[in-house]
Amino acid sequence: DGGITQSPKYLFRKEGQNVTLSCEQNLNHDAMYWYRQDPGQGLRLIYYSQIVNDFQKGDIAEGYSVSREKKESFPLTVTSAQKNPTAFYLCASKEGNSPGLTEAFFGQGTRLTVV
Amino acid sequence: AQSVTQLGSHVSVSEGALVLLRCNYSSSVPPYLFWYVQYPNQGLQLLLKYTSAATLVKGINGFEAEFKKSETSFHLTKPSAHMSDAAEYFCAVSDNRGGSQGNLIFGKGTKLSVKP
């Protein structure tokens, strides 16, 4: 079945450490996204990529980094510069043609906790 | 700038009662609008979308939404609530700005509780 796989589902990080969240899709979608979800704040866009080897900052990119070396993969690194990284992280993808018209497909999320 | 406002962070209904979740949007161009549902500790699932065809859009699980341009609204309704409808619901608008076309802008969400 086609879909988006995020791993791990739960992740614990010590303060000062970088950590990488995985996102893989087999939907052949061009566009991929990372969102952060905090209670009562909805989803906020961290980074997005509309094509391989290109990505753009979203609304809250500080303290995060991404890469897009393959169409299927869009890993997110939460760096030690992110002041408050504890949150639920969601990866999504969309078709590239007429992206405004198409819906985003979401992974199951990764819950990151800083200990 | 485009934005979405969801009125009411929590809505509680009795089983069998009407569900009404409110969403108002702000957009300088005709918008594309979406409703998603999220169950605890899971990703988002599309309920329905409006892309300038029929103004009354039917979705999954008996939900529907009506696009009203004059009221800049896209409220989500379901005639009869079921216990399994308890979840968080997000309204979203597609960003039409050049370079970020297709990015979704989300409301803050409405948590629906269903009482037996």
Side-chain angles (χ1 to χ4, degrees):
Chain A
D1 286 337
I4 300 178
T5 301
Q6 289 187 242
S7 61
K9 190 166 177 63
Y10 299 95
L11 188 56
F12 296 88
R13 189 196 91 175
K14 292 183 178 180
E15 282 193 34
Q17 287 182 338
N18 292 355
V19 64
T20 297
L21 283 58
S22 171
C23 178
E24 303 276 334
Q25 56 101 355
N26 60 3
L27 299 168
N28 199 34
H29 287 170
D30 289 309
M32 295 188 75
Y33 307 82
W34 274 106
Y35 291 91
R36 171 179 170 140
Q37 185 178 16
D38 297 281
Q41 296 199 44
L43 277 71
R44 293 181 290 169
L45 184 63
I46 305 172
Y47 267 99
Y48 63 99
S49 168
Q50 295 179 333
I51 197 168
V52 175
N53 292 321
D54 186 49
F55 49 82
Q56 306 295 328
K57 292 182 179 180
D59 300 317
I60 56 165
E62 185 175 351
Y64 300 97
S65 66
V66 294
S67 63
R68 187 84 187 276
E69 297 177 0
K70 299 186 299 182
K71 188 174 185 178
E72 313 81 57
S73 179
F74 191 43
L76 173 74
T77 296
V78 184
T79 75
S80 57
Q82 170 49 237
K83 299 302 180 191
N84 185 21
T86 295
F88 191 53
Y89 291 88
L90 287 160
C91 179
S93 70
K94 289 182 113 187
E95 291 181 9
N97 293 330
S98 302
L101 290 171
T102 58
E103 65 268 29
F105 290 79
F106 284 82
Q108 292 298 294
T110 293
R111 186 166 296 282
L112 173 64
T113 304
V114 173
V115 295
Chain B
Q2 290 165 292
S3 65
V4 167
T5 302
Q6 292 184 240
L7 297 175
S9 58
H10 288 88
V11 170
S12 182
V13 300
S14 297
E15 192 173 18
L18 171 72
V19 176
L20 171 61
L21 304 181
R22 300 178 187 274
C23 173
N24 289 88
Y25 68 89
S26 172
S27 176
S28 58
V29 297
Y32 301 133
L33 294 159
F34 304 80
W35 274 101
Y36 284 86
V37 61
Q38 184 183 35
Y39 299 98
N41 290 313
Q42 293 191 25
L44 276 65
Q45 178 185 6
L46 180 73
L47 279 176
L48 48 82
K49 65 179 180 181
Y50 168 76
T51 56
S52 74
T55 56
L56 182 63
V57 182
K58 294 187 184 298
I60 62 171
N61 301 339
F63 284 93
E64 63 182 36
E66 186 172 8
F67 173 73
K68 292 188 176 180
K69 184 178 178 181
S70 60
E71 299 177 9
T72 60
S73 70
F74 190 56
H75 301 333
L76 182 70
T77 60
K78 182 174 180 178
S80 177
H82 191 272
M83 297 296 291
S84 61
D85 295 326
E88 190 159 19
Y89 293 80
F90 292 93
C91 183
V93 63
S94 189
D95 193 341
N96 288 329
R97 293 174 294 176
S100 58
Q101 187 181 37
N103 293 354
L104 291 177
I105 300 167
F106 286 88
K108 293 184 185 291
T110 297
K111 199 163 288 187
L112 175 67
S113 301
V114 181
K115 298 175 289 187

